[in-house]
Amino acid sequence: MNTLTNETMDELLAAMDTYKVIAQELIDKLILETNQSEKSEIIKGSYYLLSNAELLNGEEHLTSNWYYDVHGEHCMFENVETGQKLEVSLGRIDDIGNMDPYFFMIS
């Protein structure tokens, strides 16, 4: 069995931390910029209540050109300018950093 070097492990942990920060920023943007029917509970961390609600700005995307799609237990964010994609686990606030192996297959 192959083992990871300390350098590789540090890089992976840093990437996971960065993922969690960006995921939380996008979830916060989704909450603030959409007309969520249960916004008060969602703000408290009940992210499983998020839906594909209407954007408050009347545009097609969240600010900074982020498209979103809530589906099941996840939300897929895609920056329409850069093509960057980020799949985020929903549930409770503590689930934001969870990384489903499927997420690594998203291109």
Side-chain angles (χ1 to χ4, degrees):
M1 182 169 145
N2 295 334
T3 59
L4 298 174
T5 65
N6 286 340
E7 181 181 355
T8 301
M9 185 66 77
D10 289 344
E11 289 175 11
L12 287 171
L13 292 172
M16 291 169 70
D17 288 342
T18 300
Y19 164 82
K20 186 173 183 176
V21 168
I22 295 170
Q24 187 64 61
E25 289 173 358
L26 290 170
I27 290 292
D28 291 345
K29 184 182 295 275
L30 177 60
I31 294 168
L32 291 173
E33 297 181 19
T34 59
N35 188 19
Q36 298 293 327
S37 61
E38 300 187 59
K39 191 172 271 195
S40 62
E41 290 301 311
I42 294 168
I43 289 170
K44 293 177 189 174
S46 297
Y47 295 162
Y48 59 89
L49 297 172
L50 285 166
S51 65
N52 285 320
E54 182 179 329
L55 287 162
L56 297 174
N57 64 10
E59 300 291 328
E60 293 182 25
H61 306 103
L62 299 167
T63 55
S64 303
N65 293 307
W66 285 98
Y67 163 82
Y68 74 96
D69 179 32
V70 176
H71 54 278
E73 299 174 355
H74 301 131
C75 182
M76 192 274 294
F77 293 95
E78 181 175 2
N79 188 293
V80 296
E81 288 184 354
T82 66
Q84 179 183 3
K85 293 181 183 178
L86 196 74
E87 187 82 18
V88 178
S89 291
L90 303 177
R92 304 276 317 151
I93 194 167
D94 295 334
D95 297 327
I96 288 296
N98 292 351
M99 297 183 79
D100 186 315
Y102 162 76
F103 298 172
F104 294 99
M105 296 174 27
I106 299 172
S107 57

